[in-house]
Amino acid sequence: MAARDTSALAELFDRYGALAYGVALRVLRDPGRAQDAVQDAFLRLWHGAAGFNPARGSLRGWVLAAVRNRAIDLVRGRPGREREELELSDAFAASAAGPEEQASASVERAAVRAALADLPAEQRRAVLLAYFGGYTQLEIAGLTGVPLSTVKGRMRLALDKLASYLKERGVVDV
Amino acid sequence: MFEQDELSETAFAAIGLAVEPVMPPAALRARILSEAEPRSPVLTQQRRRLPWSLLAAAMVLISVAAFLLGQTLHREGPTGPIVFAMAGHGALQGAAAKVTDLKADRVAVVEFNGMPELPPGKVYELWLITAGGRADAAGVFVPDSTGHTVVVVDQSLEGYSVMAVTVEAGPSGVSSPTQQPAMTGNIA
């Protein structure tokens, strides 16, 4: 029975493992720590520690959130300076929505990248710092040298725009 | 972290989809499976095709039990989960099942209760039946000693109008039902 159960877990890993590992790598920039994050997240999911509520989203979104949260836990243990250097690279701005990307990437990935690329730079930076760096709004204010109220406004505007963009393209059901 | 309405929260979560998937090392997969095995939840479930169904069932049941239990028929939005009921009759009188159609995942979770013990060599077989009467096999299962089990149907229920259960020859079941269903429910 155990073997049959873990074959099911293997299927889940095969289905979402590459995306999960990609997110963990993007957050941590360290293969060893990214693997730790993915392993911890999948085992937590497996043992039911991070309950799934189908009313709140898809399995993919649930897996993605679990891995991202675990990776953020790990990255928060790093010195602030290191996190800052990692996250301010803003890699998506440079790579977003080019013609090659549109052709080769999945439609969803291209849509999300295009949505991010469409944001003003300061808004994009704020949401990427929050998502991939796990920074609070207060921390982002400190990093970017603007008032907290400005960060809050940028986040709100950015997420509203992202939501509208992705809703129009049917990518909101993560 | 910050206040967001539901759509903004979903948009925030979607940022992760911008990441290029990276194939993890095979050793990571093996390590996760090795770690999971000793404490795997035990589910008495068999299907002809078992992708991630058992895991999904275990995960779903943990936190969706409240969602399922106590509700006879619950509907949400066009892509949200929809719950249907199946009732036994004849040999399966008193047995019941709740079907949660996770439309967004193209998966349905079927939780059976009160299923009678099977004769030796027999299995229960689940069927998806179209409005035109075509029955497609959706898996076989054997309940536990309490008559309970969970089956995950790893496909969309779209295009089907009835879910049904028959008793068939084990261990793999049959390709077409050999008897009238003793449990049915409308799923359309």
Side-chain angles (χ1 to χ4, degrees):
Chain A
M1 183 60 68
R4 194 162 62 215
D5 287 345
T6 53
S7 73
L9 176 60
E11 284 289 336
L12 187 76
F13 185 81
D14 291 344
R15 195 163 174 169
Y16 300 124
L19 179 60
Y21 187 51
V23 168
L25 270 178
R26 179 68 180 80
V27 172
L28 292 159
R29 306 299 179 88
D30 177 325
R33 291 165 68 90
Q35 289 174 42
D36 288 346
V38 172
Q39 177 173 336
D40 289 352
F42 271 85
L43 289 175
R44 286 190 67 209
L45 296 175
W46 176 243
H47 294 303
F52 170 57
N53 182 349
R56 290 183 58 83
S58 67
L59 270 174
R60 181 180 63 174
W62 183 51
V63 170
L64 201 60
V67 171
R68 182 254 175 190
N69 291 343
R70 185 62 190 132
I72 294 297
D73 287 344
L74 293 176
V75 83
R76 280 184 174 142
R78 289 179 165 180
R81 187 71 183 166
E82 185 181 1
R83 282 175 65 200
E84 180 180 349
E85 288 171 356
L86 291 178
E87 302 307 329
L88 291 181
S89 60
D90 209 352
F92 291 123
S95 62
E100 300 86 0
E101 176 65 28
Q102 292 284 0
S104 62
S106 73
V107 171
E108 282 182 330
R109 185 161 61 253
V112 176
R113 289 186 174 199
L116 287 167
D118 218 30
L119 295 175
E122 67 276 8
Q123 291 178 17
R124 179 172 59 248
R125 191 183 204 196
V127 293
L128 291 180
L129 281 169
Y131 188 90
F132 291 108
Y135 290 100
T136 64
Q137 293 186 23
L138 190 60
E139 289 173 327
I140 294 170
L143 282 170
T144 56
V146 298
L148 176 59
S149 58
T150 302
V151 173
K152 288 183 176 179
R154 287 176 179 173
M155 292 289 295
R156 168 58 60 190
L157 286 170
L159 292 175
D160 285 350
K161 287 177 188 172
L162 278 176
S164 297
Y165 189 102
L166 297 176
K167 187 178 181 183
E168 285 172 10
R169 288 155 181 80
V171 191
V172 289
D173 187 23
V174 181
Chain B
M1 179 170 34
F2 44 80
E3 292 184 2
Q4 300 163 309
D5 60 26
E6 190 174 339
L7 200 53
S8 293
E9 187 178 332
T10 304
F12 185 73
I15 292 172
L17 298 179
V19 172
E20 191 81 35
V22 179
M23 192 55 64
L28 174 60
R29 184 179 188 273
R31 200 161 63 237
I32 290 171
L33 297 181
S34 172
E35 287 287 322
E37 196 160 333
R39 292 188 292 161
S40 298
V42 175
L43 293 176
T44 53
Q45 174 180 327
Q46 298 176 356
R47 291 198 64 216
R48 186 171 295 130
R49 291 175 60 246
L50 277 173
W52 51 280
S53 54
L54 282 169
L55 173 62
M59 296 185 298
V60 167
L61 279 180
I62 289 165
S63 55
V64 184
F67 175 77
L68 292 172
L69 297 173
Q71 297 187 54
T72 53
L73 187 64
H74 176 71
R75 289 178 178 270
E76 292 204 356
T79 59
I82 300 176
V83 178
F84 304 98
M86 279 203 292
H89 47 86
L92 295 187
Q93 187 70 43
K98 291 177 181 175
V99 184
T100 302
D101 182 9
L102 303 172
K103 298 175 83 68
D105 291 301
R106 301 177 65 81
V107 163
V109 180
V110 189
E111 182 184 22
F112 291 92
N113 282 296
M115 299 295 285
E117 187 176 352
L118 286 157
K122 298 289 188 180
V123 293
Y124 287 112
E125 186 153 5
L126 192 61
W127 302 97
L128 293 171
I129 302 172
T130 66
R134 190 188 78 237
D136 294 335
V140 297
F141 62 97
V142 178
D144 64 19
S145 59
T146 68
H148 176 266
T149 194
V150 173
V151 173
V152 176
V153 179
D154 187 31
Q155 68 175 84
S156 169
L157 301 188
E158 196 171 333
Y160 294 100
S161 56
V162 172
M163 186 175 282
V165 174
T166 60
V167 177
E168 304 291 354
S172 301
V174 295
S175 57
S176 298
T178 62
Q179 57 185 260
Q180 287 298 311
M183 174 179 276
T184 56
N186 291 323
I187 57 174

